[in-house]
Amino acid sequence: MHLQAVRLTSFTDYSLRVLIYLAAQPERRATIAEIATAYGISENHLTKVVHFLGKQGWVATVRGKGGGMGLALPPQDIGIGAVVRAAEGGDLPAECFDRAHNTCTIVKVCRLQRVLREATQAFHAVLDGVTLADLVTQPKALTALLQRTAAL
């Protein structure tokens, strides 16, 4: 049996990567440039991600010389479910969940909406049980891998 994976948007993926990077080295500030280099992704994309994470209260930024960013909260206080919900921008796995823009003609008798709602709730229930601290149990190993990738 082949299972199709649930795929997060790049924005959500990058949001989680930034948080993991910062949690692996909580004692120092990081820059967008170094995170972009470590992951091999665009600084422009990361700028938008960092702005979003700051607005959500998960990342604190300091401008100027010696500036950079760090976590605004302890890693154990940042829930992965909350990050994914905020970054994904809502739980609309199909058009029929959006009452304002739904054009599906079978929505009144279709059972797919119920099934997708249950699947989405199960997905979020798993993520709600995980914090950023749970993802960063080996900070030195993470940092070493990220630095090695950046050096290539």
Side-chain angles (χ1 to χ4, degrees):
M1 184 167 135
H2 178 71
L3 297 176
Q4 182 66 28
V6 174
R7 186 170 181 108
L8 300 174
T9 63
S10 294
F11 189 84
T12 302
D13 179 24
Y14 295 168
S15 295
L16 294 168
R17 289 190 205 195
V18 167
L19 292 171
I20 290 168
Y21 189 97
L22 297 175
Q25 301 179 69
E27 70 285 347
R28 63 179 288 278
R29 289 192 191 115
T31 65
I32 289 173
E34 76 181 71
I35 295 173
T37 300
Y39 287 121
I41 54 182
S42 160
E43 285 186 42
N44 287 337
H45 289 356
L46 281 188
T47 299
K48 294 172 188 170
V49 167
V50 169
H51 179 73
F52 161 77
L53 294 171
K55 285 178 67 174
Q56 297 298 314
W58 295 313
V59 169
T61 58
V62 177
R63 292 182 180 263
K65 187 176 180 179
M69 71 188 103
L71 294 178
L73 299 170
Q76 63 271 17
D77 293 343
I78 300 175
I80 299 306
V83 174
V84 169
R85 276 188 193 86
E88 288 290 312
D91 293 332
L92 300 175
E95 179 186 333
C96 55
F97 284 81
D98 187 354
R99 288 188 176 128
H101 300 99
N102 181 20
T103 60
C104 182
T105 57
I106 65 169
V107 72
K108 291 180 182 178
V109 295
C110 181
R111 298 187 55 123
L112 180 61
Q113 187 178 36
R114 180 185 61 79
V115 171
L116 289 175
R117 181 177 287 113
E118 288 176 16
T120 302
Q121 289 169 345
F123 174 75
H124 285 297
V126 170
L127 295 177
D128 287 340
V130 179
T131 69
L132 182 57
D134 297 324
L135 301 181
V136 187
T137 59
Q138 299 180 22
K140 289 180 182 176
L142 275 170
T143 300
L145 285 171
L146 289 166
Q147 288 174 345
R148 190 174 312 131
T149 302
L152 296 177

